[in-house]
Amino acid sequence: MLDIDGYSDIALLQRGAQSSIYRGVRTSDNCPVILKVPTESYPTPELLVRYHHEYAHLKRLHEVEGVINAYGLEQHQNRLVMILEDVGGETLGQTIQQHNLPLVTLLRLFILAADRLATVHGQGVLHKNIHPDNLI
């Protein structure tokens, strides 16, 4: 269970080896958010540097269609918490598992994802962890 001042209704969406992703609500304005937190209580300095880089890239890409907004990077105990826009919905991985989509629909989703990634790459940013569970 994650308990962070200023956020409520925090629920785990995905736990990875390095980061855990939660959905919650920012209590100051009832804004739904995604909270990305290092999984370990004492993350490595390298992981903290990666969080700062990822946050900086997201801020720079805020006007690119299909890229979520980064609202903040906050200190919580020994970890950083990246506060991200919650666009709702489910990951592409969940969609594939839970819905029997026709092949043509899947191909359209993959083409859309590839188009968005090409735009991000055109801005000089390389996403190094592309898989269906990282795409909403």
Side-chain angles (χ1 to χ4, degrees):
M1 170 84 179
L2 185 67
D3 185 22
I4 301 175
D5 287 340
Y7 299 90
S8 65
D9 302 325
I10 299 173
L12 179 66
L13 294 178
Q14 177 181 343
R15 182 179 309 278
Q18 294 187 336
S19 296
S20 295
I21 308 298
Y22 296 85
R23 181 170 267 151
V25 175
R26 187 171 50 201
T27 55
S28 63
D29 60 1
N30 287 325
C31 179
V33 294
I34 296 295
L35 306 163
K36 182 175 181 177
V37 183
T39 300
E40 298 295 324
S41 297
Y42 294 94
T44 65
E46 294 82 13
L47 182 59
L48 297 178
V49 167
R50 281 208 325 258
Y51 267 56
H52 281 285
H53 286 167
E54 181 178 345
Y55 177 74
H57 286 310
L58 286 171
K59 291 300 282 183
R60 188 167 58 82
L61 296 170
H62 76 277
E63 292 185 7
V64 174
E65 185 178 0
V67 176
I68 60 171
N69 291 313
Y71 295 146
L73 190 61
E74 301 176 6
Q75 187 74 35
H76 173 67
Q77 298 171 346
N78 300 309
R79 302 185 279 185
L80 290 174
V81 179
M82 196 176 318
I83 314 302
L84 305 168
E85 174 183 19
D86 183 358
V87 295
E90 59 190 12
T91 68
L92 182 56
Q94 291 168 325
T95 299
I96 291 169
Q97 286 180 350
Q98 296 173 6
H99 307 284
N100 188 18
L101 297 176
L103 180 59
V104 68
T105 301
L106 287 172
L107 289 174
R108 285 185 183 130
L109 290 171
F110 294 146
I111 290 168
L112 178 62
D115 181 60
R116 298 294 189 253
L117 286 169
T119 302
V120 168
H121 290 174
Q123 297 289 320
V125 176
L126 188 63
H127 194 302
K128 296 180 181 178
N129 193 18
I130 296 297
H131 59 81
D133 288 331
N134 283 347
L135 301 171
I136 295 179

